[in-house]
Structure formats: structure tokens, C-alpha cells
Amino acid sequence: AIRRAWEKHALGVGGEVTARAGTAEIRGMFKGLAADGALVILTPDGTEHTIHAGDVSFAELERLRNPTP
């Protein structure tokens, strides 16, 4: 119930996300959180990836941080 409530209000759900861990990079749609709290990314080929650690950037958040005039 807590996870669903969080996802309902989370910025970026359904939007573009990039996760980097070491030299690996995964780009896709932020689908939500797995039961264990991992970030779930759906890539364009339909593969779901669960990310437990790494650097994550959300396109929507980056647009808010760096608005274009």
C-alpha cells in the first residue's frame, strides 16, 4: 500500500529515465518500484530491468532543474 501511494505521487513515473552503474547504462520508461524497492525501468524493446543501485536521472526532473528560456 505504501509503495502504491508513493508511486501515485512520484515525479517521473511513466517518464524517461536513465540509470548508470559502472559502464552500464539503461534508458527507458520509469515503470515504478519493485516490491523490494528497486527501480523498475521498461526499455523500448519491452524488457523490464530492476535497478538496485546506480546513478539515476529523470528527464522530467532535469527539465525542471534546467528550464530553457
Side-chain angles (χ1 to χ4, degrees), residues 7 10-17 28-32 40 42 58 60 63:
E7 288 176 339
L11 178 70
V13 174
E16 183 183 340
V17 64
M29 180 193 73
F30 174 32
K31 188 171 179 184
V40 180
L42 181 64
F58 298 89
E60 186 175 353
R63 281 191 293 276

Side-chain angles (χ1 to χ4, degrees), residues 39-69:
L39 186 83
V40 180
I41 298 176
L42 181 64
T43 54
D45 68 1
T47 304
E48 278 191 14
H49 298 269
T50 54
I51 309 299
H52 291 91
D55 294 317
V56 178
S57 61
F58 298 89
E60 186 175 353
L61 181 58
E62 293 304 315
R63 281 191 293 276
L64 291 172
R65 286 184 178 162
N66 304 303
T68 54

Side-chain angles (χ1 to χ4, degrees), residues 8-24:
K8 183 178 176 182
H9 299 286
L11 178 70
V13 174
E16 183 183 340
V17 64
T18 302
R20 293 177 190 84
T23 59

